[in-house]
Amino acid sequence: QIYNQYHPKQWYQRRVRGHMVEVLEAEPNVTNTWTFAPTVIFCLTVVTTIGYGYMYPVTDEGRGFCIFFALIGIPLFMACLAVYAQHTANFIRWVCKKLRAILGGKDEENETVQQIVTVLFCLLVILTFSAYLSYKENWTYFDSIYFTFISFTTIGFGDLYPNSDDTLFYFLFVFFIILGLISLGTVIEAQTTNFSKFLTFISNTCECMCGKCLTVEKDTMSEVDDINHTKDIHDNKV
């Protein structure tokens, strides 16, 4: 039926210009399907930069508003996300300190426990959301984990997308996406020190491999010799 709607020459021109895929796959984006709940999901995918591509504006007005909304929504959401991730990290740090005060332990051990707790918290969110998607969408558990990871990292390929349309699903979907982004941000915040130490180690290793360590050592020894020589001159004068 789609082929019959176009003259063969017109269809060929459209295919050459790259519009065939848009015509064939335009059914999920029918304008009258933009109800409130799916639109909320669409706005969420815009401000989180996930962008599944399942829904998208087709009019010039809609695309213009999407650009305006993204310019304001993305930095605002990222700022809020950073604040909530910091609060979550502080809460985990507070819990770990309380546990250390009760069970005993060193500060170094508390830092390790904090990192482990943040990673476990992120894994718990991923596995829980994946289990819900697997049950709701009849996906395999691996497909659910894949979709969850792609969503939380804001990659958003769009090759998988849930088809459920009940209100509870939309609510839980928004809740888990935001919670997943916060948990992943908490892991990154907790690992920042480790990343900094690792990068410093790599930088120092590269400098040593390039011979800069020997140069610095020679410069240091030269400075020490100059100081000792100056001291000897001063002692002889005295």
Side-chain angles (χ1 to χ4, degrees), residues 33 92 121 164 168:
T33 61
I92 293 176
F121 172 66
S164 300
L168 179 60

Side-chain angles (χ1 to χ4, degrees), residues 1-235:
Q1 295 177 355
I2 295 178
Y3 279 95
N4 294 331
Q5 294 177 3
Y6 297 94
H7 188 274
K9 185 177 179 180
Q10 293 177 344
W11 177 259
Y12 176 75
Q13 290 175 350
R14 286 174 176 268
R15 182 174 61 83
V16 171
R17 293 174 184 175
H19 293 290
M20 179 186 291
V21 175
E22 183 176 354
V23 173
L24 290 176
E25 296 184 355
E27 182 178 357
N29 194 52
V30 177
T31 305
N32 58 14
T33 61
W34 283 63
T35 56
F36 180 75
T39 305
V40 172
I41 301 297
F42 169 77
C43 293
L44 178 68
T45 60
V46 171
V47 298
T48 58
T49 69
I50 297 176
Y52 294 116
Y54 179 75
M55 296 181 68
Y56 48 87
V58 295
T59 63
D60 293 339
E61 295 82 0
R63 289 171 178 173
F65 178 78
C66 185
I67 294 174
F68 174 76
F69 177 74
L71 289 175
I72 297 178
I74 291 175
L76 181 61
F77 180 83
M78 292 303 172
C80 295
L81 188 66
V83 171
Y84 283 113
Q86 183 64 44
H87 286 327
T88 305
N90 292 336
F91 175 74
I92 293 176
R93 190 178 296 109
W94 177 80
V95 171
C96 292
K97 286 183 179 180
K98 292 296 183 180
L99 292 176
R100 185 173 64 88
I102 296 174
L103 302 177
K106 300 180 180 179
D107 292 337
E108 295 79 4
E109 296 177 353
N110 182 64
E111 187 69 22
T112 303
V113 172
Q114 176 189 340
Q115 295 177 5
I116 294 175
V117 170
T118 53
V119 172
L120 291 178
F121 172 66
C122 185
L123 288 177
L124 178 63
V125 175
I126 292 175
L127 296 178
T128 303
F129 188 42
S130 300
Y132 177 72
L133 288 175
S134 180
Y135 164 76
K136 194 69 176 179
E137 298 296 321
N138 292 322
W139 290 349
T140 63
Y141 194 62
F142 180 79
D143 286 343
S144 300
I145 292 177
Y146 167 78
F147 173 81
T148 302
F149 179 80
I150 293 300
S151 299
F152 289 176
T153 54
T154 70
I155 297 174
F157 287 128
D159 51 344
L160 286 176
Y161 191 81
N163 295 319
S164 300
D165 56 357
D166 57 280
T167 304
L168 179 60
F169 172 79
Y170 286 125
F171 174 78
L172 292 177
F173 186 86
V174 173
F175 171 77
F176 273 109
I177 289 294
I178 296 177
L179 183 62
L181 293 173
I182 292 175
S183 64
L184 191 62
T186 304
V187 172
I188 295 175
E189 195 276 337
Q191 297 297 327
T192 300
T193 303
N194 291 336
F195 290 153
S196 299
K197 291 180 180 179
F198 179 70
L199 293 176
T200 302
F201 171 77
I202 293 178
S203 178
N204 294 335
T205 302
C206 292
E207 290 179 357
C208 290
M209 292 178 64
C210 294
K212 292 184 178 180
C213 286
L214 297 177
T215 303
V216 172
E217 184 177 356
K218 290 180 180 179
D219 293 340
T220 304
M221 293 299 296
S222 177
E223 292 177 359
V224 173
D225 292 338
D226 292 340
I227 294 174
N228 292 333
H229 181 68
T230 304
K231 184 178 180 181
D232 293 338
I233 295 175
H234 177 74
D235 291 341

